Amino acid sequence: MNYGKKGVHDKQKILHSTSAKWGKKFALTLLNVIILAAASVCVLVVSVGFGVFRGIIDTAPDIGNINVQPTSFSTFVYDIDGNQTAKLVAENSNRIPVTMDMIPENLAHAFVAIEDARFYEHNGIDIKGIIRAGVTGITTGSFSEGASTITQQLLKNNVFTDWTKEARGLSIDKIKRKIQEQYLALELEKTISKEEILLNYMNSINLGQNTLGVQAASQRYFNKSVSDLTLSECAVIAGITQNPSRYNPISHPEENKKRRSKVLNNMLEQGYINQTEYNIAVADDVYARIQTTNEEVDTTSINTYFVDALTEDVLEDLVAAGYNETQAYTLLYTGGLKIYSTQDPKIQAICDEVFNNEENYPSNVKWYLNYQLTVDKADGERKNHSSEMFREYYRQENRNFNLTYSSKEEAYEAIKAYKTAILETGDEVFAEKVTLTPQPQVSLVVEDQSTGAIVAMVGGRGAKEGSRTLNRATDSARQPGSTFKVIADYAPALDNAGLTLATVQNDAPFNYADGTPVRNWYGEAYRGLCNLREGIEDSLNIVAVKTLTMITPRLGFDYLQNFGISTLVESQEIKGKIYTDIHQSLALGGITIGVTNEELNAAYATIANHGTYIKPKLYNTVVDQQGNVILDNTQPESKQVIKETTAFLLTDAMVDVVTKGTGTSVNFGGMAIAGKTGTTSDYNDVWFAGYTPYYTATTWAGFDNNIKLSGEERNLAKKLWRAVMAKIHEELPNEPFSIPSGIITATVCAKSGKQAIPGLCSHTLNTEYFADGTVPTASCDVHYQGPVCQYNGRPSTEWCPFKADGVLELLPVEPAALQSGSAPVAPNSCPHSAEFMSAPENAPVIEQQRAEILQRQIAAQQAAEQAAQQAAQQAAQQAAQQQPPQ
């Protein structure tokens, strides 16, 4: 730096400069203006923010008027005539309030530990939790992490009940509700104690399986009062509340187990339990005690199978509409909805009458046992015994034992013997549950094919002992057997592969690609050339498999999916093995999982509805408390699956099933009926799927434990179908199936399915329906007229020494797709070629053939003479018997 005289002088000059002074003054003024403006903006923002915040707070409910005690509104279900058919979770039916002295300390601590660790420290809102959630949201872009305290959750469930209608994600309504929720949480904790808040919370929460509140959950999962819950059981229930579906200990025990572990860990870390208590709880096999029978019992009434299925559909559709599972469940069971179903009370009454009439079932009813036993051992251990353990015990005596008894008495005798064998001195039975279900079981779905409306449903036989129990019409996937032949084989063949009802297949020995023989249901006999109409009429296995092989299993698979079958497996690994339903046995209904009655019935309803699939529906509309339609199902999903002409051709062929084929026993007369029988190869399942111009119905029968049907049990599906449909149609006018435009008739050779040769095919003519443009143009290749070799009965060559004029029926050459699986067939000409005749070494062979021909001719002549002689003798005897007495 310059500290000389000149430097000091220059510095003084700059300091006393007028321009410098004004520059500084301007900069200072500008800075003051900026500071003032920023302060003004801050004041304005704060003022506006405060005003908005104050406005939100002012519009919050008055803390003096709110009621945080749990409340609920019943949901009602109505049939098509406006009759109330069900009430879902009315006041005090799904919730059993308890007082704090009934709540185990461990249960209260479990909820606090997993839901609100600082519950006893904060004043209604958790600042640390809010900051944590905010930081997580900013860093991850997802604001899904919650920071709601138990106090806030109580307010959300019992005061801000409209939260179920909020749009998903961040919205103004949600922000407003959150601010009011936090404000009221602060106010609420000034007016009632922490104990009251926690008690009301535990009486309100959704705990799955149609239970609200800890007492209902305790009884549902453990058959005991909440006051008797162990630490392990408390952790199970506390673990459910975050997601009642995902953490349901019955349907998802493994997920609940993970959540229970987190509850116990939190309780240990927060000092609510010690290490010894933790170890005992973790080691407890709590899930063995939980009821696993899938019976979700409503304490006041038992809903029908129809309402059970309806409930599942509405829940699924609410989730699809944007609600999460908890919101959907809460809305359905406490939202006061009105559900207008498609159930026809008259048709449902007919179905119930028929299916409840024991005279419609085989007299030798069998009983399937489901058994559960809990024993308190003398040493204090508690041991559980399941149906599987019971079965294994008796399999030591009979390896084929399958829990099925010929009478209830026999079952109880077996139970008594089992307990005698396993109970030791000092043991006591703590709990026992015996369920005996009549067998074979059944299911039924009846649908109006023109609308997709399911008008009636039966999900099982015998007394229905709970709501949302096993529904065999919607929940049980069973093997479809021959019912698949129509929708997997013949529908795509006629619709998309150029085949017609007149197309022939040779019912002769045939193997699957892996070499396994295809067997006909009627034994080892074969019928030779059969057209597709006959294949449908008489349910011919080889004809069906050959047809699917020709069109490819992939095409059949794709059509099944379009028909609404959702249980098909394209490629899935199960226990280390890859499974697929895209194979030849698909033709006969051989699939990995099976099919539900509801979906199979919808597929046949598609054919009945001229080829248009309509997704089956159980309700038309769902209306909220204010009368707003929240679900509109009046126009369900629909699509054209097959041409209208294809649907008619299939219908007409299935009319033959009922009038002269495998389904004649279902024909109640006076009504057009089309349908298809279905039987699995081992007789584990029997079906009949059929329709009239009015309704489509499908019946199923089989054992719950998948054992073989026998005797009259094998006709049960057809018997029930006829009994139900005959009553449904008693007062309906007889209407024929309509013939659409585009259908024509043509006469073809019955043996070849092709154009008949005049004179040659006259005795095998067949007039058939065809879709316009599909009438065969090729000439018959089965009938032959000309020189015939008398040695092998085939068309002779010009060098044949044994030729004579004649008429033959030849087997058509199999398409290339079928040749690898077909048995060898005789050639369409005799072996006497020019080369064969000119070879000297064949001369003895020719002479031997000539001798064989002569022997056959002599034998034929002798047989004819013997037959003529026998006929003359019979005629003489008949004449003598007719002589009048002398």
Side-chain angles (χ1 to χ4, degrees), residues 400-589:
N400 296 319
F401 176 70
N402 50 34
L403 296 171
T404 305
Y405 293 93
S406 58
S407 68
K408 288 184 175 181
E409 292 73 20
E410 183 184 7
Y412 279 106
E413 284 297 322
I415 292 170
K416 181 179 178 181
Y418 178 73
K419 288 193 291 187
T420 300
I422 66 165
L423 292 176
E424 301 172 341
T425 303
D427 290 354
E428 292 185 3
V429 174
F430 174 75
E432 183 180 26
K433 184 171 184 179
V434 178
T435 304
L436 286 165
T437 309
Q439 303 291 325
Q441 270 297 328
V442 291
S443 69
L444 164 74
V445 175
V446 184
E447 177 181 331
D448 178 348
Q449 61 258 23
S450 65
T451 64
I454 295 177
V455 295
M457 178 181 290
V458 176
R461 165 192 180 191
K464 190 173 188 291
E465 298 180 352
S467 294
R468 300 178 73 184
T469 53
L470 174 65
N471 189 338
R472 296 168 186 84
T474 58
D475 302 337
S476 295
R478 304 289 298 218
Q479 293 299 309
S482 297
T483 59
F484 256 33
K485 291 175 181 175
V486 171
I487 55 178
D489 312 340
Y490 301 118
L494 300 177
D495 197 62
N496 195 37
L499 278 65
T500 72
L501 289 177
T503 300
V504 297
Q505 302 283 10
N506 187 17
D507 183 19
F510 185 75
N511 297 335
Y512 291 113
D514 64 0
T516 304
V518 181
R519 305 192 185 280
N520 278 321
W521 60 267
Y522 49 82
E524 295 304 318
Y526 302 99
R527 300 189 183 184
L529 297 177
C530 299
N531 59 40
L532 300 195
R533 178 183 286 273
E534 292 170 317
I536 296 171
E537 175 187 321
D538 289 330
S539 198
L540 305 179
N541 288 352
I542 292 175
V543 172
V545 174
K546 283 188 171 183
T547 300
L548 184 67
T549 303
M550 284 180 63
I551 68 173
T552 74
R554 175 82 243 186
L555 183 63
F557 182 92
D558 291 343
Y559 266 79
L560 286 171
Q561 288 189 316
N562 283 332
F563 273 117
I565 307 300
S566 66
T567 50
L568 298 173
V569 173
E570 184 163 3
S571 180
Q572 181 177 336
E573 182 177 344
I574 303 175
K575 296 182 179 179
K577 184 179 179 181
I578 301 298
Y579 288 83
T580 179
D581 291 333
I582 306 174
H583 47 56
Q584 288 171 292
S585 57
L586 179 67
L588 308 182

Side-chain angles (χ1 to χ4, degrees), residues 566-640:
S566 66
T567 50
L568 298 173
V569 173
E570 184 163 3
S571 180
Q572 181 177 336
E573 182 177 344
I574 303 175
K575 296 182 179 179
K577 184 179 179 181
I578 301 298
Y579 288 83
T580 179
D581 291 333
I582 306 174
H583 47 56
Q584 288 171 292
S585 57
L586 179 67
L588 308 182
I591 55 179
T592 306
I593 297 173
V595 64
T596 65
N597 189 321
E598 182 182 28
E599 289 192 348
L600 182 62
N601 191 68
Y604 273 79
T606 301
I607 306 173
N609 191 38
H610 315 294
T612 299
Y613 169 85
I614 302 178
K615 185 178 181 180
K617 63 177 182 177
L618 291 156
Y619 70 92
N620 287 313
T621 56
V622 177
V623 179
D624 66 14
Q625 272 190 298
Q626 288 72 42
N628 303 308
V629 176
I630 60 172
L631 289 177
D632 188 343
N633 200 28
T634 53
Q635 297 294 327
E637 169 194 338
S638 66
K639 59 184 175 181
Q640 194 76 25

Side-chain angles (χ1 to χ4, degrees), residues 170-234:
L170 206 59
S171 66
I172 293 176
D173 287 340
K174 189 171 187 176
I175 294 171
K176 177 182 177 181
R177 192 255 303 165
K178 276 289 185 182
I179 293 173
Q180 292 181 340
E181 186 180 282
Q182 291 172 352
Y183 164 73
L184 287 180
L186 294 170
E187 295 299 310
L188 183 64
E189 293 221 354
K190 297 175 184 177
T191 59
I192 63 176
S193 67
K194 290 279 188 181
E195 181 178 276
E196 290 177 284
I197 291 171
L198 186 57
L199 175 63
N200 283 316
Y201 169 79
M202 289 188 289
N203 273 329
S204 302
I205 49 176
N206 174 12
L207 292 170
Q209 294 292 114
N210 199 17
T211 63
L212 296 177
V214 292
Q215 175 72 337
S218 177
Q219 292 184 351
R220 176 62 189 87
Y221 296 119
F222 301 106
N223 283 329
K224 61 169 72 172
S225 171
V226 67
S227 59
D228 297 326
L229 291 176
T230 66
L231 170 60
S232 176
E233 292 163 348
C234 289

Side-chain angles (χ1 to χ4, degrees), residues 584-795:
Q584 288 171 292
S585 57
L586 179 67
L588 308 182
I591 55 179
T592 306
I593 297 173
V595 64
T596 65
N597 189 321
E598 182 182 28
E599 289 192 348
L600 182 62
N601 191 68
Y604 273 79
T606 301
I607 306 173
N609 191 38
H610 315 294
T612 299
Y613 169 85
I614 302 178
K615 185 178 181 180
K617 63 177 182 177
L618 291 156
Y619 70 92
N620 287 313
T621 56
V622 177
V623 179
D624 66 14
Q625 272 190 298
Q626 288 72 42
N628 303 308
V629 176
I630 60 172
L631 289 177
D632 188 343
N633 200 28
T634 53
Q635 297 294 327
E637 169 194 338
S638 66
K639 59 184 175 181
Q640 194 76 25
V641 176
I642 56 176
K643 304 180 188 77
E644 191 173 2
T645 51
T646 304
F648 170 78
L649 294 173
L650 293 171
T651 296
D652 195 64
M654 285 191 283
V655 169
D656 288 353
V657 173
V658 175
T659 56
K660 55 183 178 179
T662 57
T664 54
S665 62
V666 307
N667 192 354
F668 51 83
M671 183 61 62
I673 305 171
K676 182 70 186 70
T677 53
T679 306
T680 55
S681 58
D682 48 12
Y683 279 100
N684 286 352
D685 302 274
V686 291
W687 301 80
F688 189 81
Y691 50 90
T692 69
Y694 298 98
Y695 298 105
T696 302
T698 298
T699 48
W700 164 85
F703 282 81
D704 281 338
N705 55 342
N706 214 33
I707 64 176
K708 183 177 292 188
L709 296 158
S710 61
E712 58 182 322
E713 294 169 348
R714 296 179 176 182
N715 293 315
L716 187 54
K718 290 186 283 188
K719 182 177 182 179
L720 293 172
W721 193 95
R722 173 181 175 138
V724 164
M725 293 293 272
K727 286 181 174 291
I728 290 174
H729 291 82
E730 275 181 352
E731 298 180 5
L732 295 175
N734 185 0
E735 293 287 340
F737 291 115
S738 59
I739 302 177
S741 60
I743 289 291
I744 60 174
T745 59
T747 300
V748 296
C749 174
K751 291 295 184 179
S752 66
K754 299 178 181 179
Q755 285 288 341
I757 300 174
L760 192 56
C761 303
S762 57
H763 59 296
T764 58
L765 296 179
N766 174 39
T767 300
E768 182 58 271
Y769 285 114
F770 295 89
D772 196 7
T774 66
V775 177
T777 57
S779 295
C780 171
D781 55 1
V782 169
H783 290 105
Y784 166 81
Q785 184 175 23
V788 176
C789 175
Q790 296 179 68
Y791 174 69
N792 74 348
R794 311 305 293 170

